[in-house]
């Protein structure tokens, strides 16, 4: 005869996808009823109509059905009361570690816009996830956000357990937060520096990230207040510079790299984007934006060029439909996988 203890033990392996903890530890298992070979389980979600409830339900059914003596599993999905949810949040906050204390933070920046920095940030995060790491991505380009479109999460809204606890959106194996998930994509945000700083403070302190190996921060381009504030706020972060081979781009890129060095942030290397174009028919390479400037910059900064990403139609096509090429198997993914491997070698996770 199956017992409630056996069922609870099995359910310890079922995790809430958003919080990343066992539904048993989160007190989401409300009631278990055993009637011969039939088991009925009542689950209390953090919110009614949780978008991931089908995933939780399926996991519960599969785990309990695998137990000997169980032929039929019925799962009823309910929702926590306000009081139960507050108890849950209090427990989560007790376990919350200080700002990225056990997480490697990699800020990705560029001297100017239009060099593909956000595309590199997104695909680097996804590639690190594919390597088996737990990864978060903060879109710190609050006014010029593009991460939601690159990940296909335009219109999706993060869920707040309370006014100080926001659950990030999960997509392609990574956790992400962006101003683009709180504001309409086509509505301009006309905000001054202090307001923008407040948003980023929330992204860093009020979002429940859980245990991460890496946090990728997609900085706004240039050397303005936000990149400087982030560089000063987070200790032990590393910096990845994105540029194109064009002389005007690489010289401007040097400015933000020097800014990072002035605030004692290690520059781990340069990702050269739009490096060249290879004709798909004759396979001849064309250096559309020139060549050699990035190597000169790397020498000046005493660093190295980690990867050269060519102009690829597929990267643009997949980015436009919210599917990072790093997530799919193909030659285009290899550039980002190579970058992720080099980054993880240079910046080893804190275990």
């Amino acid at each position: 005869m199956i017992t409630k203890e056996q069922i609870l033990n099995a359910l310890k392996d079922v995790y809430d996808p958003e919080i990343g903890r066992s539904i048993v530890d989160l007190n989401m298992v409300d009631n278990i009823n055993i009637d011969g070979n039939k088991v009925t389980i009542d689950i209390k979600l953090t919110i009614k109509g949780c978008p991931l409830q089908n995933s939780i339900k399926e996991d519960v059914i599969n785990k309990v059905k695998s137990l000997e003596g169980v032929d039929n599993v019925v799962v009823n999905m309910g929702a926590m009361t306000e009081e139960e949810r507050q108890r849950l949040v209090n427990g989560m906050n007790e376990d919350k570690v200080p700002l990225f204390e056990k997480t490697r933070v990699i800020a990705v920046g560029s001297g100017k816009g239009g060099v593909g920095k956000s595309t590199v940030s997104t695909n680097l995060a996804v590639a690190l996830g594919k390597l088996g790491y737990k990864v978060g991505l903060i879109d710190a380009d609050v006014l010029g956000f593009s991460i939601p479109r690159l990940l296909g999460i335009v219109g999706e809204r993060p869920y707040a357990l309370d006014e100080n606890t926001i659950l990030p959106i999960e997509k392609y194996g990574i956790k992400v937060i962006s101003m683009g998930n709180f504001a309409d994509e086509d509505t301009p945000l006309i905000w001054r520096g202090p307001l923008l700083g407040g948003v980023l403070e929330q992204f860093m302190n009020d979002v429940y990230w859980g245990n991460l190996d890496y946090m990728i921060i997609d900085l706004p381009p240039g050397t303005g207040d936000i990149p400087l504030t982030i560089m000063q706020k987070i200790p032990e972060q590393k910096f990845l510079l994105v540029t194109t081979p064009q002389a005007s781009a690489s010289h401007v890129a040097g400015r933000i790299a020097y800014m990072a060095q002035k605030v004692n942030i290690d520059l781990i290397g340069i990702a050269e984007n739009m490096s060249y174009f290879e004709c798909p028919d004759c396979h001849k390479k064309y250096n559309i934006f020139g060549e050699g400037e990035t190597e000169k910059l790397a020498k000046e900064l005493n660093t190295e060029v980690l990867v050269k990403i060519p102009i690829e139609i597929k990267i643009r096509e997949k980015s436009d439909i919210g599917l990072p090429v790093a997530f799919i198997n193909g030659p285009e993914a290899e550039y980002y996988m190579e970058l992720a491997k080099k980054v993880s070698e240079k910046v080893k996770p804190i275990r």
Side-chain angles (χ1 to χ4, degrees):
M1 181 75 176
I2 193 77
T3 66
K4 288 186 179 181
E5 270 185 311
Q6 288 175 297
I7 293 169
L8 277 173
N9 280 330
L11 293 178
K12 283 180 181 177
D13 292 332
V14 176
Y15 285 73
D16 182 293
E18 292 178 304
I19 301 174
R21 290 171 56 184
S22 163
I23 62 170
V24 174
D25 294 341
L26 295 172
N27 295 316
M28 292 171 67
V29 182
D30 187 43
N31 186 49
I32 297 172
N33 183 59
I34 302 168
D35 183 10
N37 294 333
K38 180 182 177 182
V39 176
T40 303
I41 303 169
D42 296 334
I43 301 292
K44 283 191 172 181
L45 302 167
T46 53
I47 183 174
K48 192 175 181 180
C50 167
L52 296 172
Q53 63 177 307
N54 290 335
S55 173
I56 297 172
K57 186 174 184 176
E58 190 177 325
D59 287 348
V60 169
I61 291 171
N62 290 337
K63 282 291 177 187
V64 177
K65 259 195 173 179
S66 67
L67 296 172
E68 191 176 341
V70 178
D71 294 331
N72 189 18
V73 180
V74 176
V75 179
N76 300 316
M77 308 298 273
M80 291 181 176
T81 63
E82 191 62 44
E83 187 180 337
E84 288 170 330
R85 189 159 51 249
Q86 194 56 56
R87 278 201 301 268
L88 169 67
V89 171
N90 292 341
M92 288 165 59
N93 287 334
E94 282 176 14
D95 297 335
K96 202 172 181 181
V97 295
L99 182 63
F100 308 138
E101 188 180 81
K102 296 181 180 179
T103 301
R104 291 294 192 191
V105 178
I106 298 168
V108 182
S110 64
K112 61 196 283 292
V115 299
K117 169 187 55 63
S118 295
T119 303
V120 172
S121 298
T122 301
N123 281 282
L124 171 60
V126 172
L128 285 167
K130 280 187 75 176
L131 290 176
Y133 298 110
K134 295 176 182 175
V135 185
L137 173 61
I138 290 178
D139 186 355
D141 196 352
V142 177
L143 297 178
F145 50 81
S146 57
I147 297 290
R149 180 153 296 278
L150 292 169
L151 284 171
I153 53 173
V154 174
E156 290 190 31
R157 298 285 185 261
Y159 169 61
L161 287 173
D162 68 4
E163 60 184 20
N164 297 311
T165 311
I166 303 165
L167 297 179
I169 295 170
E170 200 156 333
K171 194 71 181 280
Y172 300 118
I174 65 170
K175 294 179 178 180
V176 60
I177 201 85
S178 169
M179 192 63 202
N181 296 113
F182 296 91
D184 185 75
E185 190 180 33
D186 299 318
T187 302
L189 295 177
I190 307 170
W191 289 0
R192 295 194 182 274
L195 278 175
L196 301 178
V199 169
L200 292 171
E201 195 78 33
Q202 277 197 296
F203 284 179
M204 291 188 280
N205 294 319
D206 292 347
V207 174
Y208 184 79
W209 293 105
N211 296 317
L212 296 177
D213 296 308
Y214 292 101
M215 173 62 78
I216 307 299
I217 301 182
D218 183 44
L219 297 175
T223 55
D225 283 351
I226 293 178
L228 180 60
T229 300
I230 290 172
M231 287 178 180
Q232 291 176 325
K233 269 187 179 295
I234 305 173
E236 303 298 323
Q237 66 181 289
K238 307 297 180 184
F239 183 68
L240 174 67
L241 180 63
V242 179
T243 187
T244 65
Q246 195 172 3
S248 60
S250 63
H251 286 297
V252 175
R255 295 175 198 163
I256 189 169
Y258 285 122
M259 184 175 83
Q261 290 177 338
K262 279 189 176 181
V263 291
N264 298 316
I265 293 174
D266 291 337
L267 173 63
I268 58 173
I270 303 174
E272 184 181 85
N273 201 30
M274 307 180 202
S275 186
Y276 57 88
F277 173 73
E278 183 175 334
C279 172
D281 298 321
C282 66
H283 301 291
K284 184 178 178 181
K285 288 185 179 179
Y286 295 89
N287 297 307
I288 294 173
F289 293 111
E291 63 178 324
E293 291 296 329
T294 306
E295 282 79 8
K296 287 181 192 174
L297 179 62
K299 192 173 181 180
E300 288 171 18
L301 296 170
N302 194 28
T303 190
E304 64 178 305
V305 180
L306 298 177
V307 68
K308 292 192 170 192
I309 305 166
I311 298 169
E312 286 276 2
I313 293 172
K314 195 168 184 179
I315 294 175
R316 194 272 305 163
E317 288 176 340
K318 296 301 180 186
S319 296
D320 284 350
I321 62 169
L323 177 59
V325 293
F327 188 73
I328 55 181
N329 294 323
E332 298 82 11
E334 289 308 309
Y335 306 109
Y336 301 107
M337 295 306 297
E338 178 189 349
L339 177 61
K341 286 171 186 173
K342 287 182 178 178
V343 166
S344 63
E345 285 167 8
K346 283 177 167 286
V347 188
K348 296 189 184 299
I350 304 167
R351 295 293 187 180

